[in-house]
Amino acid sequence: MSATVMQRRPAVRALLADRPADLLVIAGLGTPAYDLFDAGDHDGNFYLWGAMGGAAMVGLGLALARPANPVLVLTGDGEALMGLGALATIGARKPSNLSIAVLDNGHFGETGMQRSHTSLGTDLTAVAAACGFAWTATAATVEEARALAPRLADRSGPALIRLVVGAEPLPKTLPPRDGAYLKTRFRANLGLAPA
């Protein structure tokens, strides 16, 4: 990591600055959920409060079920590493409407800030490319993240975007924690009745 690194919240705001109205966003537990909420709550946001390692697979299921919607998974490097098999499955299924943005701070933030494999040489963009993703990119500045934003809706995926961010602690901005509320709100955004 370079000495001057991008902060994760400006990175997420830049990626979602011109959010398409039909974009659905799945946030992995912990800081990705806080960062998504800080960027602006939306009925098309679904915050995972558990299931570490599951965000990419939830996003895959959603992308396959809703091919008309662009789907973004916002996750961290720790969660992405925990669910590496998901990248292989996504590469095999090739949903063109799915993008995964990995906030890579090189640490397992949810378990005590131990160094993650990305700080020890694992390149998640190379892993995704080897799994058959249509494109990958790395953004290390807010401007680079903003430049990638239009690609979230261009249906040229699957894509993996690595956002190189700092590991500094930030105050928590907590999205709603009521799972039933989040599910019902998300379903209503899709035009579905409560289940």
Side-chain angles (χ1 to χ4, degrees):
M1 302 246 176
S2 65
T4 304
V5 295
M6 174 169 57
Q7 290 187 340
R8 62 180 193 258
R9 291 202 176 142
V12 172
R13 283 189 221 111
L15 194 61
L16 294 172
D18 296 316
R19 178 180 179 151
D22 61 346
L23 178 69
L24 305 173
V25 185
I26 303 297
L29 82 163
T31 54
Y34 311 153
D35 298 340
L36 176 61
F37 184 69
D38 184 76
D41 195 21
H42 190 284
D43 290 351
N45 290 353
F46 193 80
Y47 308 96
L48 293 177
W49 280 100
M52 186 171 180
M57 292 308 284
V58 172
L60 172 61
L62 186 60
L64 294 175
R66 304 292 296 202
N69 291 92
V71 176
L72 171 66
V73 172
L74 185 64
T75 187
D77 56 305
E79 181 173 41
L81 288 162
M82 193 172 195
L84 276 180
L87 299 183
T89 302
I90 291 167
R93 296 300 305 263
K94 302 192 183 320
S96 63
N97 59 332
L98 178 62
S99 301
I100 298 174
V102 179
L103 294 159
D104 186 356
N105 66 6
H107 292 81
F108 291 98
E110 298 309 309
T111 60
M113 294 303 285
Q114 303 88 351
R115 291 178 67 191
S116 81
H117 300 78
T118 63
S119 69
L120 301 170
T122 299
D123 180 344
L124 289 173
T125 60
V127 172
C131 289
F133 276 52
W135 63 272
T136 66
T138 296
T141 68
V142 169
E143 293 75 22
E144 290 171 348
R146 186 173 295 117
L148 291 168
R151 298 206 67 187
L152 297 180
D154 72 6
R155 292 176 172 75
S156 62
L160 187 135
I161 300 167
R162 176 178 173 245
L163 299 167
V164 181
V165 297
E168 70 283 351
L170 297 173
K172 293 179 180 177
T173 55
L174 299 175
R177 297 186 72 167
D178 183 330
Y181 165 76
L182 289 170
K183 177 192 75 170
T184 301
R185 182 179 81 161
F186 194 77
R187 287 181 59 85
N189 182 63
L190 298 175
L192 302 172

